[in-house]
Amino acid sequence: IIHSLWRDRARLAESLLPPEHWAWTGDVQQYPLDPARANALLDAAGWKRGKDGIRFRVAMKTSTDETSRLLAMILQQELRDVGIALEVRSFEFATFFADVSKGAFQMYTLRWLGGNEDPDIFHTFDSQRFPPHGTNRGRYVNAELDALINEAGGSGDQALRRKDYVRVQQILAAELPSINLWYLDAVLVHTRRLGNIQISGSGNYDFLRTATVGDGR
């Protein structure tokens, strides 16, 4: 995906938070590409291949955006290799997002654009935030996660907050209510007249607060 879609201008993701974030951790369960293990796990779970080589079928909803469509095609091929038939259903974005927002899907992909400057983004997985009153679209429930999110969100102690959010990331990496795929590189092209540029890991425009304008020499 990173090589074909993003021309290597991205890196594998372990979390919703970017690696530059104070609460980020890479100390989480990893999932390297391993089709042999995937096949063994599916066999052990009782999902045997049929005569057509298919174990089961699942539908993925996506928008008609070209990148989203190409991503779905890559996933379709990868899953076919382990006996899972992925049916891709493309919709105009408003229809697609309306279905996703109310939880009407089996699989879908969306991209986070900003929003991860503060680790409060993990409220996405709060069990009190099911659609239509929140973004916990997979209706994930974990009491320990809820308690950690609430404690961290109500604390002014950054060391305590980091400890809680590290544990949150470890839980999410183990249970996988969603799968983080990549961090897209934040690239800024600017005139030499601009100085003091500090690009945020979320790719927002906060760098404008500290940017300075000189004569370009």
Side-chain angles (χ1 to χ4, degrees):
I1 292 169
I2 288 174
H3 179 69
S4 299
L5 289 187
W6 302 119
R7 302 295 188 264
D8 298 316
R9 295 190 178 96
R11 49 188 161 166
L12 293 174
E14 300 88 5
S15 170
L16 280 176
L17 301 180
E20 297 81 7
H21 196 285
W22 58 265
W24 175 86
T25 181
D27 182 22
V28 296
Q29 188 166 336
Q30 305 287 329
Y31 299 92
L33 180 64
D34 190 344
R37 176 162 168 73
N39 276 307
L41 288 170
L42 288 163
D43 285 340
W47 294 102
K48 304 297 183 181
R49 291 178 183 264
K51 292 181 180 179
D52 57 359
I54 300 301
R55 300 176 187 276
F56 59 84
R57 301 175 185 276
V58 64
M60 176 177 171
K61 290 187 176 180
T62 183
S63 72
T64 53
D65 169 76
E66 180 69 4
T67 302
S68 298
R69 187 183 66 80
L70 292 173
L71 170 62
M73 292 174 64
I74 294 173
L75 295 176
Q76 190 176 55
Q77 179 59 54
E78 295 287 341
L79 290 173
R80 184 182 297 120
D81 290 344
V82 294
I84 299 172
L86 182 66
E87 178 186 346
V88 179
R89 301 175 182 174
S90 297
F91 301 89
E92 183 273 328
F93 185 80
T95 301
F96 162 71
F97 192 69
D99 281 355
V100 167
S101 296
K102 64 186 178 185
F105 60 84
Q106 289 183 307
M107 287 178 61
Y108 75 93
T109 61
L110 276 176
R111 280 169 260 167
W112 286 102
L113 301 177
N116 56 359
E117 295 89 348
D118 193 286
D120 279 350
I121 193 172
F122 289 118
H123 274 293
T124 294
F125 301 104
D126 191 322
S127 64
Q128 301 302 310
R129 299 201 177 191
F130 288 178
H133 307 296
T135 54
N136 188 348
R137 296 164 183 148
R139 292 173 168 79
Y140 172 70
V141 177
N142 183 298
E144 181 186 0
L145 189 92
D146 288 348
L148 288 166
I149 290 172
N150 290 330
E151 178 179 70
S155 174
D157 182 338
Q158 185 160 308
L160 173 63
R161 295 186 77 205
R162 172 170 168 73
K163 180 181 177 182
D164 286 344
Y165 286 129
V166 164
R167 178 58 184 151
V168 164
Q169 290 167 86
Q170 291 171 339
I171 291 172
L172 293 175
E175 299 200 346
L176 293 178
S178 68
I179 300 175
N180 303 299
L181 296 176
W182 66 76
Y183 304 111
L184 194 63
D185 291 348
V187 178
L188 176 65
V189 179
H190 61 86
T191 173
R192 290 189 179 92
R193 295 180 60 213
L194 279 181
N196 199 26
I197 302 296
Q198 304 292 331
I199 302 179
S200 166
S202 65
N204 62 23
Y205 291 93
D206 284 357
F207 68 88
L208 292 173
R209 295 176 179 172
T210 59
T212 58
V213 180
D215 60 11
R217 289 180 296 181

